[in-house]
């Protein structure tokens, strides 16, 4: 079902051009909406994770990656156009010249996410999609059992987030919790460790942290860190020691250090 598109004004690709990501995500409310994924490799990871494609828009000059992707796509329209037109559509150089419109899945319940979990990553009001994607990648790479996001976080399925994550948003379990997260984690017998630049914070290398049977590692907002309300719910305030006058790491960099130190290593 390959369909040639001469220019991006073609109404058949309106969904790629005119709808913002937030609009796509809410398009079928209360049912799950849609999202867009970029690059053949990341699209393939979403397909492997069970996400259903709706349509594809790609460079008419198909390379081996595009052809391999087509083998996984059945009975959906595949729109092709020039790379120049694709760049007009996105406003930047499109990664690998392919985009796929996909159906969202129902979010996991907190119970499903925490089942058999020992180490959980938590993002508390992390607003930048790039940071969300990078933290997702760190959590997957460092063997965390899942990721929880509060309502104030950027959507992990936004194009930039999934692209920066290199598709790991489709490989690690995650969910969004709107209220009462820390109380619920305590109900599931998790101890909660929040990264915070506080005088009473303990060194992340403290042995007691790794001895906890269940541990949730919390990262706060890029500018303000964890709120006072969130800090009150922490069982531990944790700090990564710095040198050469550096006060802290970017939240994405801190996530990699924290997850490596506190994850269960096989």
């Amino acid at each position: 079902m390959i369909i040639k598109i001469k220019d991006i004004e073609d109404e058949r690709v309106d969904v790629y051009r005119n709808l913002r990501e937030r609009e796509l995500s809410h398009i079928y409310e209360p049912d799950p909406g849609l999202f867009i994924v970029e690059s053949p490799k990341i699209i393939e990871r979403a397909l492997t994770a069970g996400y259903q494609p709706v349509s594809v828009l790609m460079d008419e000059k198909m390379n081996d990656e595009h052809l391999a992707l087509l083998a996984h796509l059945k009975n959906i329209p595949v729109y092709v156009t020039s790379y120049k037109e694709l760049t007009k559509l996105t406003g930047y150089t499109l990664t690998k010249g392919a985009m796929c419109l996909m159906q969202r899945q129902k979010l996991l319940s907190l119970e499903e996410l925490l089942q058999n979990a020992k180490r959980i990553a938590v993002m508390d009001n992390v607003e930048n999609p790039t940071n969300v994607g990078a933290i997702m990648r760190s959590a997957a790479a460092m063997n965390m059992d899942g990721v929880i996001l509060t309502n104030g976080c950027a959507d992990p399925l936004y194009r930039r987030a999934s692209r920066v994550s290199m598709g790991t948003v489709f490989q690690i379990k995650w969910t969004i919790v709107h209220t009462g997260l820390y109380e619920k984690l305590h109900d599931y017998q998790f101890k909660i460790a929040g990264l915070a630049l506080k005088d009473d914070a303990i060194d992340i290398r403290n042995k007691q942290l790794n001895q906890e049977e269940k541990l949730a590692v919390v990262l706060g907002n890029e500018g303000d860190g964890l709120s006072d309300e969130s800090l009150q719910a922490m069982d531990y305030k944790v700090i990564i020691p710095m040198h050469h006058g550096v006060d802290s790491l970017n939240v994405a960099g801190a996530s990699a250090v924290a997850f490596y130190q506190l994850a269960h290593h096989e």
Side-chain angles (χ1 to χ4, degrees):
M1 298 180 67
I2 296 178
I3 302 165
K4 170 69 175 178
I5 300 295
K6 290 184 178 180
D7 63 64
I8 60 170
E9 299 301 322
D10 192 305
E11 63 182 13
R12 289 172 292 185
V13 294
D14 272 352
V15 68
Y16 291 96
R17 184 180 72 253
N18 290 334
L19 292 184
R20 296 179 180 178
E21 291 184 298
R22 184 171 178 80
E23 293 171 322
L24 284 173
S25 69
H26 293 286
I27 196 168
Y28 297 134
E29 268 187 347
D31 295 323
L34 303 171
F35 68 104
I36 293 174
V37 188
E38 294 181 6
S39 100
K41 180 179 290 185
I42 299 175
I43 294 168
E44 187 173 342
R45 287 179 175 169
L47 293 170
T48 300
Y51 287 85
Q52 295 300 309
V54 176
S55 66
V56 176
L57 177 62
M58 64 172 61
D59 190 342
E60 62 188 358
K61 294 181 179 179
M62 297 183 191
N63 58 30
D64 289 343
E65 281 189 296
H66 295 135
L67 294 173
L69 177 62
L70 289 179
H72 297 282
L73 301 172
K74 306 294 182 184
N75 302 318
I76 65 167
V78 177
Y79 301 110
V80 298
T81 191
S82 69
Y83 193 80
K84 180 180 179 181
E85 290 299 313
L86 282 178
T87 303
K88 285 182 185 177
L89 182 70
T90 60
Y92 57 89
T93 301
L94 180 65
T95 304
K96 300 291 186 178
M99 292 189 289
C100 183
L101 182 68
M102 303 188 112
Q103 296 178 356
R104 287 174 176 260
Q105 296 178 347
K106 183 179 178 182
L107 280 175
L108 288 175
S109 69
L110 186 61
E111 181 180 8
E112 289 171 318
L113 182 74
L114 296 180
Q115 187 175 10
N116 300 320
K118 301 295 184 182
R119 291 294 185 270
I120 293 293
V122 177
M123 291 188 238
D124 188 329
N125 202 30
V126 177
E127 299 175 315
N128 187 303
T130 297
N131 286 331
V132 168
I135 293 169
M136 283 284 190
R137 189 176 184 183
S138 294
M142 301 303 161
N143 201 33
M144 300 297 279
D145 296 315
V147 181
I148 300 171
L149 301 95
T150 65
N151 195 42
C153 291
D155 191 330
L157 294 184
Y158 280 175
R159 282 156 55 185
R160 182 179 294 276
S162 64
R163 184 173 72 246
V164 170
S165 83
M166 291 302 294
T168 54
V169 295
F170 308 115
Q171 296 173 304
I172 189 169
K173 294 192 296 183
W174 60 271
T175 195
I176 299 170
V177 176
H178 296 278
T179 59
L181 170 60
Y182 299 123
E183 292 88 347
K184 292 171 184 176
L185 285 171
H186 280 140
D187 288 343
Y188 280 94
Q189 309 304 311
F190 275 82
K191 295 293 185 179
I192 307 173
L195 270 67
L197 296 175
K198 299 296 181 181
D199 292 338
D200 59 345
I202 64 172
D203 192 312
I204 198 169
R205 295 167 294 185
N206 187 297
K207 292 182 179 180
Q208 187 174 346
L209 291 168
N210 274 320
Q211 289 171 353
E212 294 291 355
E213 181 181 359
K214 294 183 176 182
L215 189 67
V217 183
V218 185
L219 299 134
N221 176 265
E222 292 91 339
D224 299 325
L226 292 170
S227 68
D228 291 339
E229 181 181 2
S230 293
L231 284 170
Q232 290 175 7
M234 300 297 113
D235 298 295
Y236 301 100
K237 300 182 190 76
V238 178
I239 193 168
I240 300 171
M242 299 283 119
H243 302 279
H244 297 293
V246 178
D247 60 352
S248 66
L249 296 173
N250 167 274
V251 66
S255 75
V257 175
F259 299 157
Y260 178 79
Q261 178 66 29
L262 299 176
H264 278 154
H265 299 288
E266 298 177 354

